[in-house]
Amino acid sequence: MSELLKVPTMAECMADGRQPEILFWVGSAGSYDDRAKKITRAFVKILNKVKVDFAVLGTEESNTGDVAKRAGNEFLFQMQAVTNIEILNGYQIKRIVTACPHSYNTLKNEYPLLGGNYKVLHHTQFIEELMKKGRLKIERSSVLNGKRITFHDPCYLGRGNGVYEAPRTLLKTLGVELVEMKRHRKSALCCGAGGAQMFKEPEKGSKDVNVLRTEDALETQATIIATGCPYCNTMMTDGVKAKEKENDVSVMDIAELIAKAQDL
Amino acid sequence: MTYLPNILFAIVLITGIGYFAKNVKKLIRNIKLGLDVDVSDNKSQRWKNMVMIALGQSKMVRRPIAGVLHVIVYVGFIIINIEVLEIIIDGLLGTHRIFSVIGKPYYLVINLFEILAVLVFVSVIIFWIRRNIIKLKRFWKKEMTSWPKNDGNFILYFEMVLMMLFLVMNATDTQFQSVNSGNIISQFITPWFSGMSESVLHTIERTAWWLHIIGILIFLNYLYFSKHLHILLAFPNTYYGKLTPKGQFNNLEAVTKEVKMMMDPNIDPFAAPAEDTEPPAKFGASDVQDLNWVQLLNAYTCTECGRCTSECPANLTGKKLSPRKIMMDTRDRLEEVGKNIDKNKGVFKDDGKQLLGDYITTEELWACTTCSACVEACPVSIDPLSIILEMRRYLVMEQSAAPVELNNMMTNIENNGAPWPYNQMDRLNWKDEQ
């Protein structure tokens, strides 16, 4: 698909004097990380296909501060939060959708006390909503039909905020064979990236967390590991490589699977 | 002279309860060493949590074997202790089985007690086997040596002995056995004592009766020194437990104040601080007094079951972090601080030690992925993650002691608004990339 994506910014919307239905919070990973950018693009393809009236902040978006907060730098977190809130409130944002559970959690839970009150949705929740309202029809795809897929619960989506069903509902709609790992939902094992671990070497131990989690996934004999978080995606991709299974098993975001199934 | 046993009983009872009360006072004082935190919100949800999680054991049964056994011991413990009420009245008044005047229902209840006593006894033996023969991994982690290991077994021995004493007491009570009702279990124990004279039986019965009540009082007083405190503290702890989504961490108010001041264009940066401004709060926690009192209550409530540690991704991959150890360290340090205060007439004298470094190492703290698995796993709503976060805050904001890579990441966020060294102006480049 070579057609260009339509990605209006809030500034453009403002200039046109219109308020989009929803703000897409891309997040730092989704903006800069090569693997995560594919997820971002896949999600936008879905938005474009359904003609969702959305916008991004573009260069006005800044890191949510989630990772700084969890590293212990509350000061930096609140500086980021206050700055972002000023921009979001300036644009009178009401609803935000994001493909990053870390942004989701921070915007939804930690911004309100600093003056930022928005209805925040994870992209799987938003896509599910589009589906339920009949705006998006997900057809059982021939490419994915019957494929064995396991879903890795991102900590900040699942345990962190109790969102377990939306991603699973979407996967089932695709007509895939959804298999659960032995540790799933509330007892899902972390991919190893949270709490700022993504940005540092792990402490000394017997194994890396992402490898252990990848072993959980490989045990299910799934050929696709689905996730809903750019960091989980990186960690699981690395884990699959560490297990030398990259030719048999791929790691995909739910948005990518949907875009692929719908041939977007 | 005939009042001697009654007087003796009263003295034993008062001493037992008095000493316990003294330690409870100490416990409350120690917990109050923590910072204040507002937990007055959402009372109905809090009651509900307490009823479901502590009273209803809802999280215990997530692990079915341990859960069901625990429910048996818990129900048995509560119900059989109704018997203690009778023992106390009998002891003080010199009566014998005073409740038996109600007749049939009494013997039905004793039947129930006897059945529960056996169930508890069997469950406790299975617990002992799990700990000592099967050696379940979570009971053999590094922090489970010496006292914590013995403590776990002592409690089981205590319960075995108490249940045995209860059944022996019933079995050797000839008066009770002669009614031949309510002795559903003890009738099978009676033959063990066949051939003994009435007076020997009576002595055994009295001994079992006394040991039973003394044992219960000793057990009560043992609680303060043991992980077994959870039988009491699980209730307030689940009441005060976290209500917000697990992913949500608290925002530091002291920081909010400073950030708001920095962002306020009307503020005079050169103004002298007002006279009555408080000294700036310490950011984060390096010792137990920097934690809030709910976190300290958490530490006393921990029963070292290790469900948290057995689900911690860091611990599962051989890192030093163990959420259970975080709680045990917090409690040990708090006890040390409490003893220091007792010794120094009610004031804490700096002992050159603190929770950070002397108990919990930075290596443990930095291994946490903040995944909340420990919080989710805890059957009594303990939140080890919040303590880890407070200590990271201290390391970063008071000591600038984050790992180098994290410092780089934070510098990037400060400069470019992203954790990587990319230009903010490139944030939308993905749009036109293929």
Coordinates of all heavy atoms in Angstrom, one line a residue, chain A residues 7 28 31-32 37 41 59 61-63 69-78 105 109-110 155-156 159-160 183 186 190 194-197 199-201 203-207, chain B residues 245-252 256 262 316-319 363 366-373 376 392-393 396 405-406 410 414 417-419 422-425 427 430-431 433-434:
Chain A
V7 N -2.9 12.3 8.1 CA -2.6 12.5 9.6 C -2.7 14.0 9.9 O -1.7 14.7 9.9 CB -1.2 11.9 10.0 CG1 -1.1 12.0 11.5 CG2 -1.0 10.5 9.5
S28 N 6.1 8.3 22.5 CA 7.5 8.4 22.1 C 7.9 7.2 21.2 O 8.6 7.3 20.2 CB 8.5 8.6 23.3 OG 8.2 9.8 23.9
S31 N 6.4 7.2 17.9 CA 6.9 8.3 17.0 C 8.3 8.0 16.5 O 8.7 8.4 15.4 CB 7.0 9.6 17.8 OG 5.7 9.9 18.3
Y32 N 9.2 7.4 17.3 CA 10.6 7.3 17.0 C 11.1 5.9 16.7 O 12.1 5.7 16.0 CB 11.4 7.9 18.1 CG 11.3 9.4 18.2 CD1 10.7 10.0 19.3 CD2 11.7 10.3 17.2 CE1 10.6 11.3 19.5 CE2 11.5 11.7 17.3 CZ 11.0 12.2 18.4 OH 10.8 13.5 18.6
K37 N 6.8 2.4 15.0 CA 6.3 3.3 13.9 C 5.4 2.5 13.0 O 4.4 3.0 12.5 CB 7.4 4.0 13.1 CG 8.0 5.2 13.9 CD 8.9 6.0 13.0 CE 10.3 5.5 13.0 NZ 11.2 6.4 12.3
R41 N 1.5 3.4 12.1 CA 1.0 3.5 10.7 C -0.1 2.5 10.5 O -1.1 2.9 9.9 CB 2.1 3.2 9.7 CG 3.2 4.3 9.7 CD 4.4 4.0 8.8 NE 3.9 3.8 7.4 CZ 3.7 4.8 6.6 NH1 3.9 6.0 7.0 NH2 3.2 4.5 5.4
T59 N 4.5 17.6 16.4 CA 5.7 18.1 17.1 C 5.3 18.8 18.4 O 6.2 19.1 19.2 CB 6.5 19.1 16.2 OG1 5.6 20.1 15.8 CG2 7.0 18.4 15.0
E61 N 3.6 17.2 20.6 CA 3.5 16.1 21.6 C 4.8 15.9 22.3 O 5.9 16.1 21.7 CB 3.1 14.8 20.9 CG 2.8 13.7 21.9 CD 2.5 12.3 21.2 OE1 1.5 12.2 20.5 OE2 3.4 11.4 21.2
S62 N 4.8 15.7 23.6 CA 6.1 15.4 24.3 C 5.9 14.1 25.1 O 4.7 13.7 25.4 CB 6.5 16.6 25.1 OG 7.8 16.4 25.6
N63 N 7.0 13.5 25.5 CA 6.9 12.3 26.3 C 5.9 12.5 27.5 O 6.0 13.5 28.2 CB 8.3 12.0 26.8 CG 8.4 10.6 27.5 OD1 8.1 10.5 28.7 ND2 8.6 9.6 26.8
K69 N 8.7 8.8 35.7 CA 8.0 8.6 37.0 C 8.4 7.3 37.6 O 8.7 7.2 38.8 CB 6.5 8.7 36.8 CG 5.7 8.6 38.1 CD 4.2 8.7 37.8 CE 3.4 8.7 39.0 NZ 3.2 10.0 39.7
R70 N 8.4 6.2 36.8 CA 8.7 4.9 37.3 C 10.1 4.7 37.6 O 10.5 3.8 38.4 CB 8.1 3.9 36.3 CG 6.7 3.5 36.7 CD 5.7 3.3 35.6 NE 4.9 4.5 35.4 CZ 3.8 4.7 36.0 NH1 3.2 3.8 36.8 NH2 3.1 5.8 35.7
A71 N 11.0 5.5 37.0 CA 12.4 5.5 37.4 C 12.6 6.2 38.7 O 13.7 6.1 39.3 CB 13.2 6.1 36.3
G72 N 11.6 6.9 39.1 CA 11.7 7.7 40.4 C 11.9 9.1 40.3 O 11.9 9.9 41.2
N73 N 11.9 9.6 39.0 CA 12.0 11.1 38.8 C 10.7 11.7 38.7 O 10.2 12.1 37.6 CB 12.9 11.4 37.6 CG 13.4 12.8 37.6 OD1 12.8 13.7 38.2 ND2 14.4 13.0 36.8
E74 N 10.0 11.9 39.8 CA 8.7 12.5 39.9 C 8.7 13.9 39.4 O 7.8 14.4 38.8 CB 8.2 12.5 41.4 CG 6.8 13.0 41.6 CD 5.7 12.2 41.1 OE1 6.0 11.0 40.6 OE2 4.6 12.6 41.1
F75 N 9.8 14.6 39.6 CA 10.0 16.0 39.2 C 9.8 16.1 37.7 O 9.0 16.9 37.2 CB 11.3 16.5 39.7 CG 11.3 18.0 39.8 CD1 10.8 18.6 40.9 CD2 11.8 18.8 38.8 CE1 10.8 19.9 41.1 CE2 11.8 20.2 38.9 CZ 11.3 20.7 40.0
L76 N 10.6 15.3 37.0 CA 10.6 15.3 35.5 C 9.2 14.9 35.0 O 8.7 15.5 34.1 CB 11.7 14.4 35.0 CG 11.8 14.3 33.5 CD1 11.9 15.6 32.8 CD2 13.0 13.4 33.1
F77 N 8.7 13.9 35.7 CA 7.3 13.4 35.2 C 6.3 14.6 35.3 O 5.6 14.8 34.4 CB 6.8 12.3 36.1 CG 5.3 12.1 36.1 CD1 4.7 11.6 34.9 CD2 4.5 12.5 37.2 CE1 3.3 11.5 34.9 CE2 3.1 12.4 37.1 CZ 2.5 11.9 36.0
Q78 N 6.3 15.3 36.4 CA 5.3 16.3 36.6 C 5.6 17.5 35.6 O 4.6 18.1 35.2 CB 5.2 16.8 38.0 CG 4.6 15.7 38.9 CD 4.0 16.2 40.2 OE1 3.8 17.4 40.4 NE2 3.8 15.3 41.2
N105 N -2.1 4.5 30.6 CA -2.2 4.5 32.0 C -1.9 5.9 32.6 O -2.6 6.4 33.5 CB -1.2 3.5 32.6 CG -1.1 3.5 34.1 OD1 -2.1 3.1 34.8 ND2 0.0 4.0 34.7
N109 N -4.8 7.9 34.4 CA -4.8 7.8 35.8 C -4.0 8.9 36.5 O -4.3 9.3 37.6 CB -4.2 6.5 36.3 CG -5.1 5.3 35.8 OD1 -6.3 5.4 35.8 ND2 -4.5 4.2 35.4
E110 N -2.9 9.3 35.9 CA -1.9 10.2 36.7 C -2.0 11.6 36.3 O -1.6 12.5 37.0 CB -0.5 9.6 36.5 CG -0.4 8.3 37.3 CD 0.8 7.4 36.9 OE1 1.5 7.8 35.9 OE2 1.0 6.4 37.5
C155 N 1.4 -5.3 30.9 CA 1.1 -5.1 32.4 C 0.3 -3.8 32.6 O -0.7 -3.9 33.4 CB 2.4 -4.9 33.2 SG 3.5 -6.3 33.1
Y156 N 0.6 -2.7 31.9 CA -0.2 -1.5 32.2 C -1.5 -1.5 31.6 O -2.3 -0.6 31.8 CB 0.7 -0.3 31.8 CG 1.7 0.0 33.0 CD1 2.9 -0.6 33.0 CD2 1.3 0.8 34.0 CE1 3.8 -0.4 34.0 CE2 2.2 1.0 35.1 CZ 3.4 0.5 35.1 OH 4.3 0.7 36.1
R159 N -3.1 -6.0 34.1 CA -3.1 -5.8 35.5 C -3.3 -4.4 35.9 O -4.0 -4.1 36.9 CB -1.8 -6.4 36.1 CG -2.0 -7.5 37.1 CD -0.7 -8.0 37.7 NE 0.4 -7.8 36.9 CZ 1.0 -8.7 36.2 NH1 0.6 -9.9 36.1 NH2 2.1 -8.4 35.5
G160 N -2.6 -3.5 35.2 CA -2.6 -2.1 35.6 C -3.9 -1.4 35.5 O -4.3 -0.6 36.3
R183 N 0.6 -18.4 31.9 CA 0.4 -17.2 32.7 C -0.3 -16.1 31.9 O 0.3 -15.6 30.9 CB 1.8 -16.6 33.2 CG 2.5 -17.6 34.0 CD 3.8 -16.9 34.5 NE 4.9 -17.4 33.7 CZ 6.1 -17.9 34.3 NH1 6.2 -17.8 35.6 NH2 7.1 -18.4 33.6
K186 N -4.6 -11.7 34.7 CA -4.1 -11.2 36.0 C -2.7 -11.8 36.3 O -2.0 -11.1 37.0 CB -5.1 -11.5 37.1 CG -6.2 -10.6 37.2 CD -7.1 -10.9 38.3 CE -8.2 -9.8 38.4 NZ -9.3 -10.2 39.4
C190 N 5.3 -10.2 33.0 CA 5.8 -9.0 32.4 C 6.8 -9.3 31.3 O 7.5 -10.4 31.3 CB 6.5 -8.1 33.4 SG 7.3 -6.6 32.8
G194 N 8.9 -2.8 31.5 CA 8.3 -1.8 32.4 C 9.2 -1.2 33.4 O 10.3 -1.7 33.7
G195 N 8.8 -0.1 34.1 CA 9.5 0.4 35.2 C 10.9 1.0 34.7 O 11.8 0.9 35.5
A196 N 11.0 1.4 33.5 CA 12.2 2.0 32.9 C 13.3 0.9 32.6 O 14.4 1.3 32.2 CB 12.8 3.0 33.9
Q197 N 12.9 -0.4 32.7 CA 13.9 -1.4 32.4 C 14.2 -1.3 30.9 O 15.3 -1.8 30.5 CB 13.3 -2.8 32.7 CG 13.0 -3.0 34.1 CD 14.2 -3.0 35.0 OE1 15.3 -3.1 34.6 NE2 13.9 -2.8 36.3
F199 N 15.2 0.9 29.2 CA 16.3 1.8 28.9 C 17.6 1.5 29.6 O 18.5 2.3 29.6 CB 15.8 3.3 29.2 CG 14.6 3.7 28.4 CD1 13.3 3.5 28.9 CD2 14.8 4.1 27.1 CE1 12.2 3.8 28.2 CE2 13.6 4.4 26.3 CZ 12.4 4.3 26.9
K200 N 17.6 0.4 30.3 CA 18.8 0.0 31.0 C 19.1 -1.5 30.8 O 18.3 -2.3 30.4 CB 18.7 0.4 32.5 CG 17.6 -0.4 33.2 CD 17.5 0.1 34.6 CE 18.2 -0.9 35.6 NZ 17.7 -2.2 35.6
E201 N 20.4 -1.8 31.1 CA 20.7 -3.3 31.2 C 20.0 -3.9 32.4 O 19.9 -3.3 33.4 CB 22.2 -3.4 31.2 CG 22.9 -3.1 29.9 CD 22.5 -4.0 28.8 OE1 22.4 -5.3 29.0 OE2 22.2 -3.5 27.7
E203 N 19.6 -6.2 35.7 CA 20.4 -6.6 36.8 C 20.9 -8.0 36.6 O 20.3 -8.8 35.8 CB 19.7 -6.5 38.2 CG 19.7 -5.2 38.8 CD 19.1 -4.1 37.9 OE1 18.1 -4.4 37.2 OE2 19.5 -2.9 38.0
K204 N 21.9 -8.4 37.3 CA 22.5 -9.8 37.1 C 21.4 -10.8 37.5 O 20.8 -10.6 38.6 CB 23.7 -9.9 37.9 CG 24.9 -10.6 37.1 CD 26.1 -10.7 38.0 CE 26.0 -11.9 38.9 NZ 26.9 -11.9 40.0
G205 N 21.3 -11.8 36.7 CA 20.3 -12.9 37.1 C 20.6 -14.1 36.2 O 21.7 -14.2 35.6
S206 N 19.7 -15.0 36.2 CA 19.9 -16.3 35.5 C 19.4 -16.2 34.1 O 19.8 -17.0 33.2 CB 19.3 -17.4 36.2 OG 17.9 -17.1 36.5
K207 N 18.6 -15.2 33.8 CA 17.9 -15.2 32.5 C 17.3 -13.8 32.3 O 17.1 -13.1 33.3 CB 16.7 -16.2 32.6 CG 16.2 -16.5 31.2 CD 15.0 -17.5 31.4 CE 15.4 -19.0 31.2 NZ 14.3 -19.9 31.2
Chain B
P245 N -6.5 2.1 40.2 CA -6.0 1.0 39.3 C -4.5 0.7 39.7 O -3.8 1.6 40.1 CB -6.1 1.7 38.0 CG -7.1 2.7 38.1 CD -7.1 3.2 39.5
K246 N -4.2 -0.5 39.5 CA -2.8 -0.9 39.9 C -1.7 -0.2 39.2 O -0.6 0.1 39.7 CB -2.6 -2.4 39.8 CG -3.4 -3.2 40.8 CD -3.0 -4.6 40.9 CE -3.9 -5.3 41.9 NZ -5.3 -5.3 41.6
G247 N -2.0 0.3 38.0 CA -1.0 1.0 37.2 C -0.8 2.4 37.6 O 0.2 3.0 37.3
Q248 N -1.7 2.9 38.4 CA -1.7 4.3 38.9 C -0.8 4.4 40.1 O -1.0 3.8 41.1 CB -3.1 4.8 39.2 CG -3.1 6.3 39.7 CD -4.5 6.8 40.0 OE1 -5.4 6.2 39.5 NE2 -4.5 7.8 40.8
F249 N 0.3 5.3 39.9 CA 1.1 5.6 41.1 C 0.8 7.0 41.6 O 0.4 7.8 40.8 CB 2.6 5.5 40.7 CG 3.1 4.2 40.3 CD1 4.4 4.0 39.8 CD2 2.2 3.1 40.3 CE1 4.8 2.7 39.5 CE2 2.7 1.8 39.9 CZ 4.0 1.6 39.5
N250 N 1.0 7.2 42.9 CA 0.6 8.5 43.4 C 1.5 9.6 42.9 O 2.6 9.4 42.5 CB 0.6 8.5 44.9 CG 2.0 8.4 45.5 OD1 2.9 7.7 44.9 ND2 2.3 9.0 46.6
N251 N 0.9 10.8 42.8 CA 1.7 12.0 42.4 C 2.2 12.6 43.7 O 1.5 12.8 44.6 CB 0.9 13.0 41.6 CG 0.5 12.5 40.3 OD1 1.1 11.5 39.7 ND2 -0.6 13.0 39.7
L252 N 3.5 13.0 43.7 CA 4.0 13.6 45.0 C 3.6 15.1 45.0 O 3.9 15.9 44.2 CB 5.6 13.5 45.0 CG 6.2 12.3 45.5 CD1 7.7 12.5 45.5 CD2 5.7 11.9 46.8
T256 N 4.5 18.6 43.1 CA 3.5 19.4 42.4 C 3.6 20.9 42.7 O 3.5 21.8 41.9 CB 2.1 18.9 42.7 OG1 2.0 17.5 42.6 CG2 1.0 19.5 41.9
M262 N 7.3 26.8 39.4 CA 8.2 27.0 38.3 C 7.5 27.4 37.1 O 8.0 28.1 36.2 CB 9.0 25.7 38.0 CG 10.1 25.4 39.0 SD 10.9 23.9 38.7 CE 11.6 24.2 37.1
L316 N 11.9 -14.4 39.3 CA 11.8 -15.6 38.5 C 13.0 -15.7 37.6 O 13.3 -16.8 37.1 CB 10.5 -15.6 37.6 CG 9.2 -15.9 38.4 CD1 8.0 -15.6 37.5 CD2 9.2 -17.4 38.8
T317 N 13.7 -14.6 37.3 CA 14.8 -14.7 36.4 C 16.1 -14.5 37.1 O 17.1 -14.0 36.6 CB 14.7 -13.7 35.2 OG1 14.5 -12.4 35.8 CG2 13.6 -14.0 34.3
G318 N 16.1 -14.8 38.4 CA 17.3 -14.9 39.2 C 17.9 -13.6 39.7 O 19.0 -13.5 40.2
K319 N 17.1 -12.5 39.6 CA 17.6 -11.2 40.2 C 17.4 -11.2 41.7 O 16.6 -12.0 42.2 CB 16.9 -10.0 39.5 CG 17.5 -9.6 38.2 CD 16.7 -10.2 37.1 CE 17.2 -9.9 35.7 NZ 16.6 -10.7 34.7
E363 N 20.5 -2.5 44.0 CA 20.4 -3.6 43.0 C 19.0 -4.2 43.0 O 18.4 -4.4 41.9 CB 21.4 -4.7 43.2 CG 21.5 -5.7 42.1 CD 22.5 -6.8 42.3 OE1 23.5 -6.6 43.0 OE2 22.3 -7.8 41.7
W366 N 16.4 -1.5 41.5 CA 16.5 -1.2 40.1 C 16.1 -2.4 39.3 O 15.9 -2.3 38.1 CB 17.9 -0.7 39.7 CG 18.1 0.7 40.2 CD1 19.1 1.1 41.1 CD2 17.4 1.9 39.9 NE1 19.0 2.4 41.3 CE2 17.9 2.9 40.7 CE3 16.2 2.1 39.1 CZ2 17.4 4.2 40.6 CZ3 15.7 3.4 39.1 CH2 16.3 4.4 39.8
A367 N 15.9 -3.6 39.9 CA 15.5 -4.7 39.1 C 13.9 -4.8 38.9 O 13.5 -5.6 38.1 CB 15.9 -6.0 39.8
C368 N 13.2 -3.9 39.5 CA 11.7 -3.9 39.5 C 11.2 -3.4 38.1 O 11.7 -2.4 37.6 CB 11.1 -3.1 40.6 SG 9.3 -3.0 40.5
T369 N 10.3 -4.2 37.5 CA 9.7 -3.7 36.3 C 8.4 -3.0 36.5 O 7.7 -2.7 35.5 CB 9.4 -4.9 35.3 OG1 8.4 -5.7 35.9 CG2 10.6 -5.8 35.1
T370 N 8.0 -2.8 37.7 CA 6.7 -2.1 38.1 C 5.5 -2.8 37.5 O 4.6 -2.1 37.2 CB 6.7 -0.6 37.8 OG1 6.6 -0.4 36.4 CG2 8.0 0.1 38.3
C371 N 5.6 -4.1 37.4 CA 4.5 -4.8 36.6 C 3.3 -5.1 37.5 O 2.3 -5.5 37.0 CB 5.0 -6.1 36.0 SG 5.3 -7.4 37.3
S372 N 3.4 -4.8 38.8 CA 2.2 -5.1 39.7 C 1.9 -6.5 40.0 O 0.9 -6.8 40.6 CB 1.0 -4.3 39.3 OG 1.1 -2.9 39.4
A373 N 2.7 -7.4 39.5 CA 2.4 -8.9 39.8 C 2.4 -9.1 41.2 O 1.5 -9.9 41.7 CB 3.4 -9.8 39.1
E376 N -0.8 -7.8 42.7 CA -2.0 -8.6 42.3 C -1.9 -9.9 43.1 O -3.0 -10.5 43.5 CB -1.9 -8.9 40.8 CG -3.0 -9.8 40.2 CD -4.3 -9.0 40.2 OE1 -4.3 -7.9 39.7 OE2 -5.3 -9.6 40.8
R392 N 13.1 4.5 45.0 CA 13.7 4.9 43.8 C 13.6 6.5 43.7 O 14.6 7.1 43.3 CB 12.9 4.4 42.6 CG 13.3 3.0 42.2 CD 12.6 2.6 40.9 NE 12.9 1.3 40.5 CZ 12.5 0.8 39.3 NH1 11.8 1.5 38.5 NH2 12.9 -0.5 39.0
R393 N 12.5 7.0 44.2 CA 12.4 8.5 44.2 C 13.5 9.1 45.0 O 14.0 10.1 44.7 CB 11.0 8.8 44.8 CG 9.9 8.7 43.8 CD 8.5 8.8 44.5 NE 7.5 8.9 43.5 CZ 6.2 8.8 43.8 NH1 5.8 8.8 45.0 NH2 5.3 8.9 42.8
V396 N 16.8 8.9 43.1 CA 16.9 9.8 41.9 C 16.8 11.3 42.3 O 17.7 12.1 41.9 CB 15.8 9.5 40.9 CG1 15.7 10.5 39.8 CG2 16.0 8.1 40.3
E405 N 22.4 4.7 32.4 CA 21.5 4.7 31.2 C 20.2 5.4 31.5 O 19.7 6.1 30.6 CB 21.2 3.2 30.9 CG 22.4 2.3 30.7 CD 22.4 1.2 31.7 OE1 22.6 1.5 32.9 OE2 22.2 0.1 31.3
L406 N 19.8 5.3 32.8 CA 18.5 6.0 33.1 C 18.7 7.5 33.1 O 17.8 8.3 32.7 CB 17.9 5.5 34.4 CG 17.4 4.0 34.4 CD1 16.6 3.7 35.7 CD2 16.5 3.7 33.2
M410 N 16.7 10.2 31.0 CA 16.0 11.3 31.6 C 16.5 12.7 31.0 O 15.7 13.6 30.7 CB 16.1 11.3 33.1 CG 15.3 10.1 33.7 SD 15.2 10.0 35.4 CE 16.7 9.4 35.9
E414 N 14.3 15.5 29.1 CA 14.3 16.9 29.4 C 14.6 17.8 28.2 O 14.1 18.8 28.0 CB 15.5 17.2 30.4 CG 15.0 16.9 31.9 CD 16.2 16.9 32.8 OE1 17.2 17.7 32.6 OE2 16.2 16.1 33.8
G417 N 12.1 15.8 24.8 CA 10.7 15.3 25.1 C 10.6 13.8 24.6 O 9.5 13.4 24.3
A418 N 11.7 13.1 24.5 CA 11.6 11.7 24.2 C 12.7 11.0 24.9 O 13.8 11.6 25.2 CB 11.7 11.5 22.7
P419 N 12.6 9.7 25.3 CA 13.7 9.0 26.0 C 14.9 8.7 25.1 O 15.9 8.3 25.7 CB 13.0 7.7 26.5 CG 11.8 7.5 25.6 CD 11.4 8.9 25.2
Y422 N 16.4 12.0 20.0 CA 15.9 12.4 18.7 C 15.4 13.8 18.8 O 14.9 14.2 19.8 CB 14.8 11.5 18.2 CG 15.3 10.1 17.9 CD1 14.7 9.0 18.6 CD2 16.3 9.8 17.0 CE1 15.1 7.7 18.4 CE2 16.7 8.5 16.8 CZ 16.1 7.4 17.5 OH 16.5 6.2 17.3
N423 N 15.3 14.5 17.6 CA 14.8 15.8 17.6 C 13.3 15.9 17.8 O 12.6 15.1 17.1 CB 15.3 16.5 16.3 CG 15.1 18.0 16.3 OD1 14.1 18.5 16.9 ND2 16.1 18.7 15.7
Q424 N 12.8 16.8 18.6 CA 11.4 16.9 18.8 C 10.7 17.2 17.5 O 9.6 16.8 17.2 CB 11.1 18.0 19.8 CG 9.7 18.5 19.9 CD 9.1 18.1 21.2 OE1 9.7 18.1 22.3 NE2 7.8 17.8 21.2
M425 N 11.4 17.9 16.6 CA 10.8 18.3 15.3 C 10.6 17.1 14.4 O 9.9 17.2 13.4 CB 11.7 19.4 14.6 CG 11.6 20.7 15.2 SD 9.9 21.3 15.3 CE 9.6 21.7 17.0
R427 N 9.1 14.3 15.3 CA 8.1 13.5 15.9 C 7.0 13.0 15.0 O 6.4 11.9 15.2 CB 7.4 14.2 17.1 CG 7.6 13.5 18.4 CD 6.9 14.1 19.5 NE 7.5 13.6 20.8 CZ 7.1 12.6 21.5 NH1 6.1 11.8 21.1 NH2 7.7 12.2 22.6
W430 N 7.2 9.7 11.0 CA 6.6 8.4 10.7 C 5.5 8.4 9.7 O 5.3 7.5 8.9 CB 6.1 7.7 12.0 CG 5.1 8.5 12.7 CD1 5.3 9.4 13.7 CD2 3.6 8.5 12.5 NE1 4.1 9.9 14.2 CE2 3.1 9.4 13.4 CE3 2.8 7.9 11.6 CZ2 1.7 9.7 13.5 CZ3 1.4 8.1 11.7 CH2 0.9 9.0 12.6
K431 N 4.9 9.6 9.6 CA 3.7 9.8 8.7 C 4.1 9.5 7.2 O 3.3 8.9 6.5 CB 3.2 11.2 8.9 CG 2.1 11.6 8.0 CD 1.5 12.9 8.4 CE 2.3 14.1 7.9 NZ 1.6 14.8 6.9
E433 N 7.0 8.0 6.2 CA 7.9 6.9 6.0 C 7.1 5.7 5.5 O 6.0 5.5 5.9 CB 8.7 6.6 7.3 CG 9.7 7.6 7.6 CD 10.2 7.5 9.0 OE1 10.0 6.4 9.7 OE2 10.9 8.4 9.5
Q434 N 7.8 4.8 4.8 CA 7.1 3.6 4.4 C 7.5 2.4 5.2 O 8.7 2.2 5.5 CB 7.4 3.3 2.9 CG 6.7 4.3 2.0 CD 5.1 4.2 2.2 OE1 4.5 3.2 2.2 NE2 4.5 5.4 2.4

